[in-house]
Amino acid sequence: MDSDLSPQDKKDLDKFIKFFALKTVQVIVQARLGEKVCTRSLSSPTGSDWFNLAIKDIPEVTHESKKALAGQLPGIERSMCVEISLKTSEGDSMELETWCLEMNEKCDKDIKVSYTVYNRMSLLLKSLLAITRVTPAYKLSRKQGHDYVILYRIYFGEVQLTGLGEGFQTVRVGVVGTPIGTITLSCAYRTNLAFMSTRQFERTAPIMGIIIDHFVERPFGNVGHMHPCNYRLVSPQDEGAYNGVEDSQEVCTTSFSTSPPSQMGVPGKEGGVPQQVPVQPCHGAQAEHRRVSSCPPADHVPATPSTKHPTSSRSVGVKSGSPCGVLETTFTRKVGAFVNKPGTQVTTASLDLPFAAFAPRAYDLEENDPMVQPPESSATSSPLQGSLHSQGSGESGGPAQDDFVMVDFKPAFSKDDLLPMDLGTFYREFQNPPQLTSLTIDVSSQSMAEDLDSLPEKLAVYEKNIDEFDAFVDTLQ
Amino acid sequence: MNCRSEALEVSVEGRQVDEAMLALLHTILLHRSTGKFHYKKEGTYSIGTVGTQDIDCDFIDFSFVRVSSDELDRAIRKAVGEFKDAMGNGMDGMGQISLEFYQKKKSRWPFSDECIPWEVWSIKVNVVNLANEQERQICREKVGEKLGEKVINIVEVINRHEYLPKMPTQSEVDNVFDTSLKDVQPYLYKITFQITDTLGTSVSTTMRRLIKDTLAL
């Protein structure tokens, strides 16, 4: 087969094949670095640009290629393969594509080595440049960094495509006929990225450490080296953003304000909702309640706004009153962001006047709020609450407080001489509707004690009626 | 010698026309450009180096490689711009842009040089109008995939290694290559287009030009 080839041509051909293989690997790896490649055209040749193409040589890649070739050349049944795979921050890896430089026995004896073969190899490299941007791994490699990195591996010998999963596609980049065989360049790429779709975008802790390890060490040992196709460090800013995203999912509609809330009673507005029943409060408050258990309730105002841990809003757990008649409740207070003074725990029993800590303005509304004062149907007695109870709507503040001035709430443009109930009264009555009995503090705290006591009785009753219940269940099925 | 003719077809949204055409034309020209020839004594020549550059599309989920030559890029953009203007703004329509590689054959006086095409790429463009952002997003991805398939088609055709003009001597180089650019040397090419309005009748500017060329008027 080689007898027709002159020694010079043979030498040239071997050299062309060797450099073609090296340049092929460079093009493939550079296309998976995750960055745009740009090289300049030079009208005057430098003498070092093989195939008249400006393809940079990354030294590490050249070194790996030469190591894999180990002095041999790609030939018949000696294929050179570049395997591109993806490794996630969790350590899972998946082969994405395998580029194969193979040679078959079909020879083109008449072809001119120094001219036609060389030019066709140049054309094939251009085709490789184009095709490497078209396979699915290109887009993945452009987005590598946080969640995953792209690795490459060069091996020589038999092509292994089993790692590409089912249904992999093959694209042929091109062929070059030579007097000793036909060189073919092709790519087999994975189409089944199912593993990716379920795990790719799970929020995890940043993987800076792992990426750094890739640069410093070779964790995969001597055989089958996998190397990162990434020469950039992940920037520290990204770590912060990651935390922020994580937290924002946990913390929902918390509002941030720079001043303490003036109203206690309106749920959801400023978030200062007393956590009466663990089941019922708004989600945001509950989330914060959970978070408090992991970090101490020290005042912690972050230096930077909401992208970091928003621990500026915190809640202190609610202690249900003990069933001894005196209601002692601690109310949760949400502190706005950047607030310096700590929110104080307010216990009604410790004050002479309820809600003295609050702005006087809001007094009128708060003392009528059935959230902080039990509805009239409650049977419990508490001296404090009794006094609150006696306040009718529309009347002013506490008896002992002289600072408060009675202001008759007159809505604009209303006339109060025609109807027995004026607009103001109507408005006030219906602005604060009575809470459901099951939601009031004392009812729940008391009923819990009662419930505990009455449980045995209830159980006895249910046991008696067990047949009825069974029949009911049967009708449902 | 028969001229090799290849046809490609794409459906794109109005604002994707430019990038889709640039992507395909530049991919073809990447394969049909060499470095600048520098002729030496004894009929030998050396060839300059062709650089490449990655281009990301803004309106399509696609990236392509083009030759690093601003002059060539400007020439292609100008032609694509004229094509887009002829297609009109935002209306549904069909058009075809053709990239033709030709050789010049010198004729004796009084006849002017003949242009003999040896490869013609026709890209049919179907412009669609989309109603909402969701459809546009889907279109971005779909057109990106389609362009990828077209690039594979182009590469497949080129790698058949069918007729290419012979490398010319120094005196003939201008009959084969466009030597006007300072950094690269594409084969002589011309870009023409024709617009089909929605009724299907074709505006025959190309026909008129062909007749004009043949009669060398």
Side-chain angles (χ1 to χ4, degrees):
Chain A
M1 212 186 282
D2 294 344
S3 55
D4 293 336
L5 212 58
S6 71
Q8 182 58 41
D9 275 351
K10 178 78 174 71
K11 200 170 141 204
D12 286 345
L13 186 60
D14 286 345
K15 207 163 44 157
F16 293 170
I17 292 174
K18 177 185 165 194
F19 280 97
F20 178 71
L22 294 176
K23 288 293 182 183
T24 296
V25 178
Q26 289 286 352
V27 168
I28 293 167
V29 174
Q30 287 175 29
R32 299 289 176 261
L33 281 178
E35 287 170 353
K36 295 206 287 195
V37 175
C38 181
T39 55
R40 282 183 55 210
S41 300
L42 297 167
S43 66
S44 302
T46 58
S48 60
D49 291 323
W50 273 91
F51 307 104
N52 309 119
L53 282 173
I55 299 171
K56 282 191 198 134
D57 283 320
I58 297 176
E60 191 205 83
V61 176
T62 308
H63 175 72
E64 289 302 319
S65 311
K66 285 183 175 165
K67 215 163 76 170
L69 286 171
Q72 290 187 305
L73 288 177
I76 298 164
E77 287 174 24
R78 285 196 322 266
S79 310
M80 193 185 76
C81 300
V82 182
E83 184 186 280
I84 301 290
S85 60
L86 177 150
K87 187 170 175 188
T88 65
S89 53
E90 288 140 5
D92 296 314
S93 70
M94 179 168 75
E95 267 175 53
L96 295 177
E97 48 187 28
T98 301
W99 298 84
C100 310
L101 180 61
E102 302 170 281
M103 190 182 273
N104 65 35
E105 288 157 350
K106 190 173 161 200
C107 304
D108 188 344
K109 296 273 172 64
D110 302 324
I111 204 167
K112 286 186 82 152
V113 171
S114 62
Y115 170 71
T116 312
V117 172
Y118 189 82
N119 285 337
R120 286 189 181 176
M121 284 178 170
S122 175
L123 205 60
L124 189 50
L125 281 172
K126 289 174 182 171
S127 299
L128 183 63
L129 281 163
I131 299 282
T132 44
R133 274 65 175 171
V134 156
T135 53
Y138 181 70
K139 284 195 194 130
L140 287 172
S141 68
R142 289 292 297 270
K143 293 178 195 162
Q144 68 181 296
H146 288 291
D147 298 312
Y148 58 88
V149 284
I150 303 291
L151 308 173
Y152 72 94
R153 177 172 83 97
I154 309 170
Y155 64 90
F156 200 68
E158 223 176 277
V159 179
Q160 298 152 22
L161 299 178
T162 49
L164 295 173
E166 273 179 30
F168 65 86
Q169 299 269 353
T170 311
V171 60
R172 196 169 80 161
V173 184
V175 297
V176 174
T178 75
I180 59 170
T182 300
I183 296 170
T184 54
L185 186 52
S186 61
C187 172
Y189 60 91
R190 170 185 281 272
T191 52
N192 179 15
L193 294 170
F195 153 68
M196 289 295 300
S197 57
T198 51
R199 306 192 64 164
Q200 184 178 7
F201 298 111
E202 270 179 24
R203 298 294 180 183
T204 58
I207 56 166
M208 261 187 76
I210 295 175
I211 291 178
I212 290 173
D213 283 342
H214 275 303
F215 299 118
V216 171
E217 295 162 357
R218 296 287 159 83
F220 288 97
N222 288 325
V223 177
H225 255 133
M226 299 300 289
H227 304 280
C229 295
N230 186 340
Y231 290 81
R232 292 174 295 118
L233 280 174
V234 174
S235 65
Q237 300 168 351
D238 300 327
E239 189 179 7
Y242 235 116
N243 271 334
V245 166
E246 214 177 309
D247 288 343
S248 67
Q249 283 179 352
E250 212 186 322
V251 177
C252 74
T253 53
T254 313
S255 60
F256 292 92
S257 60
T258 52
S259 56
S262 55
Q263 270 194 58
M264 277 290 285
V266 184
K269 232 189 195 178
E270 299 238 55
V273 175
Q275 265 181 292
Q276 302 151 4
V277 178
V279 181
Q280 273 301 328
C282 72
H283 179 57
Q286 193 172 34
E288 282 166 54
H289 183 60
R290 272 205 303 274
R291 198 143 42 80
V292 164
S293 60
S294 58
C295 53
D299 204 66
H300 179 221
V301 178
T304 57
S306 56
T307 51
K308 299 283 180 180
H309 277 286
T311 52
S312 59
S313 288
R314 56 182 178 83
S315 61
V316 180
V318 172
K319 272 188 299 180
S320 301
S322 55
C324 62
V326 176
L327 183 68
E328 187 180 40
T329 322
T330 51
F331 292 101
T332 63
R333 166 146 306 281
K334 296 212 178 164
V335 180
F338 316 118
V339 168
N340 285 325
K341 65 175 184 205
T344 50
Q345 285 193 15
V346 176
T347 54
T348 55
S350 63
L351 293 174
D352 290 331
L353 191 72
F355 316 118
F358 302 115
R361 237 180 336 122
Y363 182 83
D364 195 32
L365 289 166
E366 277 163 355
E367 47 112 62
N368 288 328
D369 188 359
M371 293 281 281
V372 301
Q373 101 192 23
E376 297 176 21
S377 58
S378 164
T380 9
S381 65
S382 156
L384 198 59
Q385 287 175 354
S387 70
L388 288 176
H389 234 251
S390 62
Q391 306 295 334
S393 62
E395 285 186 47
S396 72
Q401 194 69 302
D402 292 330
D403 294 340
F404 293 103
V405 174
M406 160 133 182
V407 175
D408 207 2
F409 181 48
K410 267 207 174 96
F413 313 118
S414 76
K415 290 185 197 162
D416 55 47
D417 50 343
L418 294 174
L419 299 165
M421 186 203 276
D422 71 342
L423 183 62
T425 321
F426 174 85
Y427 184 73
R428 241 174 289 125
E429 248 182 53
F430 290 95
Q431 189 180 39
N432 292 313
Q435 275 283 304
L436 294 174
T437 50
S438 56
L439 292 182
T440 53
I441 305 168
D442 64 325
V443 168
S444 68
S445 60
Q446 283 157 18
S447 66
M448 194 145 83
E450 278 175 359
D451 278 344
L452 284 170
D453 290 336
S454 64
L455 259 175
E457 294 162 8
K458 285 188 186 162
L459 278 173
V461 170
Y462 298 147
E463 269 177 24
K464 241 179 21 175
N465 298 332
I466 202 165
D467 295 326
E468 259 182 57
F469 291 127
D470 284 341
F472 174 67
V473 168
D474 286 332
T475 60
L476 290 175
Q477 283 170 355
Chain B
M1 174 209 17
N2 286 327
C3 169
R4 186 167 59 243
S5 179
E6 305 298 334
L8 303 165
E9 194 166 336
V10 281
S11 288
V12 296
E13 203 205 347
R15 59 185 187 169
Q16 295 172 324
V17 172
D18 283 308
E19 288 177 337
M21 294 303 102
L22 282 171
L24 296 179
L25 293 172
H26 271 303
T27 301
I28 299 167
L29 279 163
L30 168 69
H31 293 86
R32 293 288 181 246
S33 301
T34 73
K36 294 285 289 180
F37 282 13
H38 296 276
Y39 286 93
K40 295 182 258 195
K41 287 179 241 179
E42 300 137 18
T44 59
Y45 60 91
S46 61
I47 311 178
T49 303
V50 172
T52 57
Q53 135 175 37
D54 278 320
I55 304 291
D56 290 336
C57 295
D58 292 325
F59 299 110
I60 313 174
D61 278 349
F62 190 67
S63 300
F64 62 93
V65 178
R66 69 165 169 87
V67 169
S68 284
S69 167
D70 290 337
E71 275 179 278
L72 183 63
D73 187 39
R74 270 198 297 271
I76 305 300
R77 278 180 189 274
K78 186 162 168 255
V80 170
E82 285 170 13
F83 172 66
K84 178 134 188 244
D85 291 339
M87 289 281 283
N89 298 322
M91 303 301 290
D92 290 357
M94 277 194 350
Q96 181 172 289
I97 195 165
S98 298
L99 172 60
E100 181 190 297
F101 293 101
Y102 64 94
Q103 270 179 272
K104 265 197 252 181
K105 191 173 166 191
K106 289 239 187 301
S107 305
R108 279 185 296 176
W109 186 87
F111 301 105
S112 62
D113 295 338
E114 249 183 288
C115 294
I116 305 169
W118 51 271
E119 188 174 78
V120 176
W121 296 85
S122 304
I123 308 171
K124 267 206 200 109
V125 184
N126 192 16
V127 180
V128 295
N129 250 332
L130 296 174
N132 61 48
E133 201 51 46
Q134 197 184 6
E135 280 180 33
R136 281 194 200 105
Q137 186 58 37
I138 297 170
C139 193
R140 274 183 74 100
E141 292 162 14
K142 282 213 149 28
V143 171
E145 285 169 18
K146 276 287 163 198
L147 285 178
E149 285 171 28
K150 299 303 155 195
V151 165
I152 294 174
N153 291 349
I154 291 168
V155 161
E156 200 185 351
V157 167
I158 285 178
N159 273 274
R160 284 184 211 150
H161 300 302
E162 290 168 351
Y163 175 79
L164 276 181
K166 265 200 315 219
M167 282 299 145
T169 57
Q170 191 168 10
S171 55
E172 300 271 300
V173 72
D174 290 316
N175 294 339
V176 176
F177 287 101
D178 179 355
T179 52
S180 63
L181 304 170
K182 65 177 194 304
D183 43 14
V184 293
Q185 192 172 284
Y187 281 100
L188 279 172
Y189 71 93
K190 65 166 92 125
I191 299 178
T192 55
F193 55 84
Q194 60 187 100
I195 310 297
T196 314
D197 63 26
T198 48
L199 291 175
T201 57
S202 68
V203 179
S204 52
T205 49
T206 315
M207 275 310 296
R208 267 187 249 129
R209 193 177 304 155
L210 275 171
I211 293 166
K212 212 168 119 190
D213 283 344
T214 315
L215 295 175
L217 291 168

